[in-house]
Amino acid sequence: MKTFSKFINKHTFSTDAALLFLVFVITYRLAPLIFFQQDEWRGFSLMIAHGMSSAILNFGSSSFHLVPLNLSLSYLIFKFFHLNYLAFNMVGLSFHFLNGFLTYLISFRIFKKRWLAIISGVLFLTSGVSGQLVMWPAVSISTLSLTLALLAWLVVLKEKSKHGFLDGLLAAILMILAFLTVEYSLGLLFFLPIVYLVIHNRQTLSERMRFIIPIFVLSFLYFLVRLLPLFIKGTDTAKIVDTSSSPILNKIFSMPFKYLTQTIIPEDILVWISHLFTKNAIKAETLVFDSLTISFGILLSIILIFLLYLLIKRKETNNLKIFISILFFLFISCAPYILLPGIAGQFSIFPPRYLYFGITGTALLITFVLNVNPFVPKNKVKITALAIISLMILVGIVENIKREQTLLEVGKTRESILVSIQKSYPKLPKKVVFYTESDSSYYYQQEKILPFQSGVGQTLLVWYFEENYDKSFYDDGFLWEINNQGYREAGDRGFGYFRDYQALSDTVKKYKIPLESVIAFSWHGDSKKLINITDQIRRKLEENGYE
């Protein structure tokens, strides 16, 4: 586009991109090495069982979650790179960097100042809020949804052209692709046409409708395809959308304040502040956390309302349009969670991945306040604001590095366990039963388990997926839950996992599993050592009457 060509020539595009990339590398230099965490293992199981069709398994069901573009991309990475977590991390991180750069472009487009655009991009990239999503292999691919949303926003920001319908069609396609990546982006349906009307209010009605019509047409087709099977099957829509008035009203009046607060201040800092007022009582801590986030959100909202009043009073039309657009983007980023059904929508702490869209809004909002300077003389506000922004950037970098180091250490432990098992037993018996002992508990489990957030049994099934087990081992969540044990046979293969010795003994006897098929390890949490105890367990089984 001509606009971007002029921008590249005039504003040393490559220098700014290099600066943003340097900040990105400093902030996420360890992230590519983070091992798989939890949900990825279940996703891999479904990919093994269903192939590419795993991307549309929820189609026509009452599940709110249908993200075929996201899952298709994950499947392709899995198909070509298998369990190479570096590949998944690099794809997710690439989208995150691109989102930071797109935030920079949007900022430059609306503020027309290069230094403000750089601040917007850096604020986004260093935000300590986004760590959970960006550092979660496979799951981090959902950052593509924001990429598509920001591209659509850039289309909206284009200056008047003769191709209004084509621009609208492009924005609509990007919007639908964002829907198909993650449903967090559903607010775009309202954001794109309304912001277009606000920004391009001088266009004729027909010119504006040429842009807006493709958005509504494609949206109608998307929801028709998405929801029609549910009505045909007679699905209770109340299971999909929380229609009870009380929870929705409560969410409407509380969630936007919580969301605004948590897109600016990382969760760890908010929890630390809450601890100062409680003695680790969970209910009391939750109440303090809610009060803290809502109060801070209300305070910020009062400041924003005052800023809005000043812009209206001064008749700063262009700044008013920009301000409304940014605030609306923040609101539509929060809006989908108000309709989340049941328990899924009842939370005090927003899961950080839910905040990812809003980080762009807060980065632009902070930059906007820095640009407008409504409160104190210009030089003083710049010094104060830049000091605050510098502190936010520093805190964000530190928070991200701390998270990386923690996840990296935990991931190395898990990977070493799996590698050690596979090194000891590169080829499994036709019917294999794993048994583990542990002296430690993890993730709020009363039982002593290995340091995995999901079932070790299914993790091992996925880790050995090239053994070509029957799809039934992967399809229905067999051994997926963190405390699951059990044994299953299909064809000439059998697979089991146990922590309880008696259950192991009973299963071996019932299915007449050869002792040579039993594999056992013991985990010592303090020393982080995995000991092969296979021979001891086999002897114990034999001594206990195995025939």
Side-chain angles (χ1 to χ4, degrees):
M1 291 188 295
K2 291 181 179 180
T3 304
F4 285 152
S5 298
K6 291 178 181 178
F7 168 70
I8 291 171
N9 294 330
K10 187 177 179 181
H11 295 283
T12 59
F13 161 86
S14 58
T15 303
D16 293 352
L19 176 60
L20 290 173
F21 186 71
L22 177 61
V23 171
F24 173 75
V25 170
I26 291 171
T27 308
Y28 298 101
R29 65 187 184 279
L30 301 177
L33 304 177
I34 294 173
F35 193 62
F36 300 117
Q37 296 179 41
Q38 180 180 1
D39 290 2
E40 301 100 319
W41 298 105
R42 178 63 180 141
F44 293 147
S45 290
L46 294 174
M47 292 175 196
I48 294 167
H50 300 280
M52 183 63 103
S53 63
S54 61
I56 55 171
L57 285 180
N58 286 336
F59 181 71
S61 73
S62 60
S63 173
F64 181 75
H65 206 46
L66 182 67
V67 289
L69 182 58
N70 186 337
L71 296 177
S72 296
L73 181 56
S74 293
Y75 173 75
L76 291 174
I77 299 171
F78 177 72
K79 182 176 177 62
F80 289 107
F81 297 98
H82 294 176
L83 295 174
N84 186 337
Y85 53 90
L86 179 64
F88 285 93
N89 282 323
M90 291 305 293
V91 172
L93 286 166
S94 296
F95 288 141
H96 183 58
F97 173 72
L98 181 55
N99 291 338
F101 183 68
L102 290 173
T103 300
Y104 160 85
L105 288 180
I106 289 172
S107 182
F108 178 81
R109 181 68 182 83
I110 59 182
F111 298 124
K112 305 292 192 301
K113 295 177 182 178
R114 181 182 166 200
W115 69 279
L116 288 174
I118 292 172
I119 288 175
S120 298
V122 170
L123 279 170
F124 176 87
L125 288 173
T126 58
S127 172
V129 173
S130 61
Q132 183 199 56
L133 178 60
V134 177
M135 299 177 197
W136 196 338
V139 178
S140 65
I141 293 171
S142 61
T143 53
L144 172 61
S145 184
L146 180 59
T147 308
L148 296 164
L150 296 180
L151 287 170
W153 192 352
L154 280 170
V155 174
V156 169
L157 291 172
K158 272 186 67 176
E159 296 176 0
K160 182 179 178 180
S161 73
K162 298 177 181 179
H163 308 291
F165 177 81
L166 294 177
D167 289 341
L169 182 60
L170 175 59
I173 292 171
L174 291 168
M175 178 188 69
I176 297 300
L177 291 175
F179 292 173
L180 297 175
T181 305
V182 168
E183 293 95 345
Y184 311 158
S185 54
L186 285 172
L188 290 173
L189 172 60
F190 304 98
F191 175 78
L192 295 178
I194 291 175
V195 170
Y196 187 85
L197 290 173
V198 170
I199 292 175
H200 300 281
N201 63 322
R202 294 184 180 180
Q203 289 185 351
T204 65
L205 178 61
S206 61
E207 286 175 330
R208 284 181 283 174
M209 291 307 296
R210 279 199 293 270
F211 183 92
I212 292 171
I213 285 174
I215 294 175
F216 284 118
V217 170
L218 288 191
S219 297
F220 173 78
L221 293 175
Y222 166 80
F223 285 106
L224 182 67
V225 172
R226 179 76 174 81
L227 299 177
L228 187 59
L230 303 181
F231 291 104
I232 292 175
K233 293 181 180 180
T235 303
D236 183 2
T237 55
K239 294 179 180 179
I240 306 171
V241 177
D242 188 353
T243 55
S244 55
S245 60
S246 179
I248 287 180
L249 288 175
N250 179 55
K251 292 177 186 178
I252 288 173
F253 288 108
S254 65
M255 274 195 170
F257 299 124
K258 294 180 183 179
Y259 192 87
L260 180 59
T261 298
Q262 293 178 55
T263 54
I264 296 174
I265 305 175
E267 175 188 328
D268 291 346
I269 294 176
L270 289 168
V271 171
W272 176 77
I273 296 172
S274 299
H275 283 166
L276 297 178
F277 297 95
T278 59
K279 295 183 179 179
N280 295 322
I282 294 177
K283 289 185 178 180
E285 186 177 306
T286 300
L287 180 61
V288 170
F289 187 92
D290 282 350
S291 301
L292 176 67
T293 53
I294 291 173
S295 299
F296 190 72
I298 290 173
L299 176 61
L300 288 173
S301 298
I302 291 171
I303 295 172
L304 294 175
I305 291 170
F306 179 63
L307 180 55
L308 179 63
Y309 165 76
L310 288 178
L311 293 174
I312 295 172
K313 184 179 180 180
R314 295 178 181 181
K315 299 181 180 180
E316 297 184 24
T317 306
N318 188 54
N319 279 331
L320 186 59
K321 291 178 182 179
I322 294 170
F323 188 61
I324 291 173
S325 299
I326 295 171
L327 285 182
F328 194 43
F329 188 81
L330 262 172
F331 176 76
I332 64 98
S333 298
C334 169
Y337 310 117
I338 294 174
L339 297 177
L340 275 177
I343 297 176
Q346 303 291 337
F347 45 77
S348 294
I349 301 177
F350 273 88
R353 61 189 181 276
Y354 290 0
L355 301 166
Y356 192 64
F357 264 60
I359 300 170
T360 293
T362 51
L364 293 171
L365 191 61
I366 292 167
T367 311
F368 178 85
V369 174
L370 183 61
N371 183 49
V372 173
N373 301 331
F375 302 114
V376 295
K378 192 171 184 179
N379 290 335
K380 289 184 179 180
V381 78
K382 278 189 177 179
I383 293 171
T384 304
L386 288 173
I388 294 172
I389 289 171
S390 298
L391 179 61
M392 289 180 65
I393 291 170
L394 180 61
V395 169
I397 292 174
V398 171
E399 284 287 315
N400 280 309
I401 291 175
K402 283 169 55 180
R403 179 181 286 273
E404 286 173 274
Q405 290 171 336
T406 300
L407 292 175
L408 187 63
E409 183 179 349
V410 171
K412 281 183 176 180
T413 299
R414 293 172 182 167
E415 184 183 18
S416 68
I417 291 172
L418 295 172
V419 169
S420 179
I421 293 173
Q422 191 172 42
K423 187 175 180 180
S424 300
Y425 301 94
K427 182 71 176 176
L428 297 179
K430 285 289 185 181
K431 296 181 179 180
V432 64
V433 180
F434 285 95
Y435 171 76
T436 64
E437 295 178 349
S438 173
D439 62 1
S440 304
S441 299
Y442 300 91
Y443 305 107
Y444 308 106
Q445 297 296 307
Q446 292 183 345
E447 293 183 67
K448 293 180 178 179
I449 61 174
L450 268 60
F452 288 80
Q453 285 175 272
S454 56
V456 174
Q458 190 174 83
T459 302
L460 287 166
L461 263 171
V462 172
W463 193 249
Y464 280 97
F465 80 96
E466 291 181 335
E467 295 259 344
N468 296 317
Y469 283 97
D470 187 85
K471 292 180 179 179
S472 62
F473 286 101
Y474 299 96
D475 192 25
D476 61 352
F478 174 56
L479 300 176
W480 155 244
E481 297 293 341
I482 193 170
N483 55 0
N484 278 172
Q485 303 180 90
Y487 177 78
R488 175 178 292 182
E489 290 185 351
D492 64 343
R493 303 300 300 267
F495 189 96
Y497 171 76
F498 294 92
R499 292 181 312 282
D500 179 79
Y501 173 78
Q502 189 59 51
L504 168 72
S505 178
D506 293 343
T507 299
V508 167
K509 292 176 183 178
K510 177 180 178 181
Y511 289 92
K512 298 181 179 180
I513 299 169
L515 289 182
E516 294 75 19
S517 294
V518 176
I519 297 172
F521 286 88
S522 176
W523 171 251
H524 300 270
D526 291 338
S527 61
K528 295 186 178 180
K529 287 186 178 180
L530 187 72
I531 308 298
N532 191 331
I533 57 170
T534 300
D535 291 341
Q536 296 95 303
I537 295 301
R538 288 176 181 176
R539 283 197 299 269
K540 187 175 179 180
L541 287 168
E542 189 173 18
E543 292 167 359
N544 289 344
Y546 177 83
E547 298 179 359

